[in-house]
Structure formats: C-alpha cells, structure tokens
Amino acid sequence: MHSSLWLSALIVLPFLGALVAMLVRKTPGASYGVAVGVGVIEVALSLVVAVLYKSNITGAQGFDFYSRHVVSAPLGLAYDIALDGLSLLMVILTALVLLLSLLGGRDKRREPAFVSWLLILTGLTMGSFVAHDVLEFFVFFELTLVPCYFIISGWGGVERARAALKFFLYTFTASAFLLIGILYMGFAYQHQHPTLALTFAYGALAGTSMSHATAVWLFVAFALAFGAKAPIWPLHTWSPLTYAEAPTAGSIELSALLAKLGSYGLLRFAVGLLPLAQVSVRPYVLTLAVIGILYGSALACVAKDLKRFVAYSSLAQMSFITLGIMSGSTIGVTGAVLLMFNHGIITIGFFLIIGFLERRRASIQIADFSGLQGPAPVLAALFTVAMLASIGLPGLSGFISEYLILIGTFTTHAWWSVFASLGVLASAVYLLWAYQRVFHGRAHGANAEIVDASASERWVLVPVVVLIVVLGVFPKPVLDRITPSVHTFVTQVATASGAK
C-alpha cells in the first residue's frame, strides 16, 4: 500500500496555493501564475497517483493510499482517506478541471480572489473524492457550496445573485437530510457496539444492522442530497439558471465536477452503505433516470441560450449515469463511472467554446449566432468533436460509456434500458440542430467578422480533444483500473442486499 501523503498533498496544495495567491495579490498577474502552477502540479500528482495505483492494486481489488487518524474520538471525527477505482478517475478529473478552467476561463476582474476561490473549491472537491470517513466526506461535500456561491455571485451574469442563492438553498437544504442519515447510522452503530467509540468510518457504517424500512428511508435521505447536487430529475431546477449565470470557469466546475460529486456520492454512499434498500428503490430511481434522460433531451431542443442548452444536455447525461449506477450490474456501473469522467471532459470542451464565443459576441443566445463555420472553422471543428462525443459516436469517448450503461442495464432491467436508448437518438437531434443554428448558414453582421480560435485557445482544447479520441479508441487501460473495484463493489452490494 502506498503512502497517504500523495492524497494529502492533492488536498492541501490547493489551499496553500489560495493562501499564496492572496499574499501576492498586489503584483499584477502573480496570483494567476500561482494558481496555474498549482494546477499543473495537481495534474502531475494525480497522474503519479494513477500510475502508482495501477501497479499496486492489481489483484488486490481494495483501497490504496489508506490512512486513518482519529481527531476526536468522543465526536467520531477522523481524517480518513483512501483511493480505489471508483474515485481514481474523479481525482484526475478534479485536477484537469482546475487547470483547464484557469487556462480557458480566466477572469481578470478581482483575479486574486477569483483564483483563490477556485483553488479552495478544488481542495474541497479533492477531499470529498478521497474521504473514507462518511462524516468527513459530508464536511468536504458541504463546504464546496461556499466557494461555488462566491464564484457565481461575484463573477456571474446579470442574475448572478438569484442564481447563487437558488443554488445554495437547494443543495444546502437537501444536504440536511444527508447529515441526518449519517448521524443516525453512526449512533446506531455505536448502540449496536457499545464498547466501541463513536465512529463514522465507511467500513463500520457499512456493517450497521437495520430494518428494511429504515434502509429505504435512509436511502431516500441520501438520494435527496446527491440528487440535488448531480442534479437528477426532478431536483434539477436550480441548474439551468446557475449554469447560465456562472462565469465560464464556474460553469465548468459545476457541470464537469460538482455534478459528478453528486453521482459519486449516490454510488459510494447511498448504494454502498444501504444495499438492503436496493431491491425496493431501484425501480423508482431507474424510472426517474429515464424521465430525466427524455425530459432533459426535450428541454435541450427548445433551449434559447447555449449554457442552458448544455445544462439540459447534462441533465440527460447525468440521468444516464444514474441509470448505470442503479443497474446492479458490473458492466452498467463501470459505464457510469467512465461516463462521469468522459462527460466531465466533454463538458469542459463545451463550456470553453461557449466562453470563447461569449467573449467575441458578448452573448450566449443561440439566435444571435449563425454561419460561424465560415469565419471560425477551427471553433466549429472543436465544437463538432465535443458534439459527436456527446451524441455517442463510435470511436469517441461518449460511445463506450453509454454502450456499457445500456448493455449493463439491459441485462438486469431491460425495459428501462430500451426507453433510455431513445435518449441517444434524442441527443443526436438536439445537438445537431444546435450546431446547425450556430455554425451553418450565412454569417451576417458581427458573425461575419468573428475571429477564429487563437493559438492559446486551441492549445487549451488540445487535452480535451485528445482525451475524447483516445478514450473512444482505446479505453482498455482506464477500464482495467476501474473494473476490479467496481466488480468488488457490486458483488458486495448484491451479497449484502440478499444477506441482511
């Protein structure tokens, strides 16, 4: 097992970077340079962790980089971190989101504060993905609301105050149910083991005995919190306004990263800790997922601005992830974990390109664009790659993820998979139609004079395009890293759901 210092460095470094960025704030550009430097180091560290994890975990199918230090035994507080195949890709995604958001979504208004909030959000998100203590996870998970609120309200659009407040109230209120559920499980475990100190360790809470009814109610509490964060229909209503009003970097953080935190929580904690509830709740959650796929697709067809368009498209994609998570099959859950990463990368591409267009036209309204393929062929080509990946074109990253989800779900819940497959067809409709309205036709007025992607903008999108193509053509190395952990996880949930 490798040293936990690698994971601790991934958590602590962004906080130190935020501190340094504020200390050098009086020097123009220094804070931004510090933040980019931290982003580069985070990406490098995450890749080192991925390589170390690969060599160590083969055949072990367990957690790596594990470390637990009790902070307060009477209160059940502990610093407990670990990594497995379910969280590995999320750690890499977190680092990539920070770096690409800084490079492609730079905002020079009060820049030291802006980059500091981004760094703090990265540290909290990284902590959420590697937390192995459930209460510790909740602390990281809940604190992500603070930097998100200030990023949206401080650097967002005209309705930024309303968007930030709506986002905060929705997710904060839903998280209260999660806290109640965590505390209940912790105290129940202590009651069942009176000689042991209060603990919220993942392994301990997974062994808590409870009735079927209690497990169902706890699952509902957990699902409300994670469903609001993801978001999952019908808890999605904060997302279109928030995505539209947030600055480019904020939109990327929310859609590519914070949404995955909700899906990860649903998989790791709602499903992992409450297997007894799965048989009862699975049909309902699968139904909500299918509704979300079709509903999000329908709204994407009528969206009037590009950011809301991506928000509704993301609702459909996050519903696909939920479908895979709740499929109960190793193939389906593997597809869900892979789609969490792939959708994050694709969304980065979408929002970066939308941000570039907004800089040029000071608008994200679809009606304000037409014929951009002529004056801006590179931007059109880059958007095409992201669009085709989101549709699920074979050979690009979106295909293998959705394919695994649909096949995995079909083996266990065929009809839900059949109806969900309609979402694949719908995605082709709304994405191609949006592309036609923005990039096809004849460019008039300001559209005819629009400047194509600069060299720096092209380089920022290179990692996005490379990942989309490589993970579409050769996903095996990534699947080899996540499948053992997924198989173990699904087997343990299936065994516990029948044994408890």
Side-chain angles (χ1 to χ4, degrees), residues 142-158:
E142 194 70 354
L143 286 177
T144 58
L145 298 180
V146 178
C148 282
Y149 174 83
F150 284 108
I151 289 171
I152 298 166
S153 63
W155 291 268
V158 176

Side-chain angles (χ1 to χ4, degrees), residues 71-407:
V71 177
S72 174
L75 297 178
L77 300 178
Y79 177 70
D80 188 350
I81 55 177
L83 188 78
D84 69 348
L86 274 63
S87 51
L88 176 62
L89 288 182
M90 297 301 98
V91 168
I92 298 173
L93 180 62
T94 303
L96 284 172
V97 165
L98 172 64
L99 181 58
L100 296 179
S101 296
L102 288 167
L103 294 176
R106 184 177 184 180
D107 196 319
K108 296 184 179 181
R109 297 172 296 169
R110 306 190 310 281
E111 190 169 60
F114 181 73
V115 299
S116 293
W117 282 124
L118 282 178
L119 289 168
I120 291 170
L121 178 58
T122 300
L124 294 172
T125 307
M126 196 71 77
S128 300
F129 284 129
V130 301
H132 198 55
D133 181 278
V134 186
L135 186 60
E136 176 194 19
F137 166 82
F138 175 82
V139 172
F140 281 120
F141 177 82
E142 194 70 354
L143 286 177
T144 58
L145 298 180
V146 178
C148 282
Y149 174 83
F150 284 108
I151 289 171
I152 298 166
S153 63
W155 291 268
V158 176
E159 294 188 85
R160 59 185 181 274
R162 176 168 164 255
L165 182 61
K166 189 173 184 179
F167 161 75
F168 190 92
L169 290 179
Y170 264 67
T171 52
F172 181 78
T173 302
S175 295
F177 295 99
L178 175 61
L179 178 60
I180 293 171
I182 292 172
L183 293 177
Y184 177 89
M185 293 188 72
F187 287 117
Y189 182 82
Q190 186 185 38
H191 179 73
Q192 294 164 17
H193 303 83
T195 59
L196 301 180
L198 178 65
T199 181
F200 296 94
Y202 184 86
L205 297 197
T208 304
S209 299
M210 64 186 73
S211 67
H212 174 265
T214 300
V216 169
W217 282 110
L218 286 172
F219 182 93
V220 171
F222 279 43
L224 284 173
F226 298 132
K229 180 81 81 173
I232 300 171
W233 186 91
L235 304 173
H236 69 286
T237 55
W238 62 266
S239 62
L241 176 65
T242 305
Y243 286 12
E245 295 301 320
T248 298
S251 297
I252 292 172
E253 292 281 351
L254 287 166
S255 182
L257 195 57
L258 271 295
K260 308 311 176 293
L261 189 52
S263 295
Y264 173 81
L266 181 68
L267 174 61
R268 172 76 75 191
F269 300 102
V271 175
L273 293 178
L274 301 163
L276 192 60
Q278 298 311 300
V279 175
S280 298
V281 303
R282 185 171 284 136
Y284 299 101
V285 181
L286 288 173
T287 301
L288 292 179
V290 172
I291 292 173
I293 292 170
L294 301 179
Y295 183 76
S297 299
L299 290 181
C301 289
V302 298
K304 296 186 183 300
D305 71 62
L306 289 170
K307 283 191 174 182
R308 279 184 169 85
F309 168 78
V310 177
Y312 293 129
S313 171
S314 293
L315 172 61
Q317 291 295 302
M318 295 307 298
S319 297
F320 264 112
I321 292 171
T322 303
L323 189 78
I325 288 172
M326 298 303 299
S327 66
S329 71
T330 298
I331 296 174
V333 176
T334 300
V337 174
L338 185 59
L339 186 55
M340 281 193 272
F341 182 81
N342 287 339
H343 176 256
I345 297 300
I346 294 169
T347 303
I348 293 172
F350 273 135
F351 277 118
L352 284 177
I353 295 169
I354 292 169
F356 298 158
L357 293 176
E358 187 176 14
R359 289 179 190 172
R360 289 160 169 77
R361 288 297 318 274
S363 173
I364 56 173
Q365 297 297 314
I366 294 176
D368 291 339
F369 298 96
S370 66
L372 299 188
Q373 187 171 267
V378 175
L379 280 175
L382 293 170
F383 190 92
T384 300
V385 173
M387 174 191 69
L388 294 177
S390 188
I391 290 174
L393 184 74
L396 300 179
S397 61
F399 170 75
I400 185 64
S401 310
E402 292 184 0
Y403 176 77
L404 291 174
I405 289 172
L406 291 173
I407 292 297

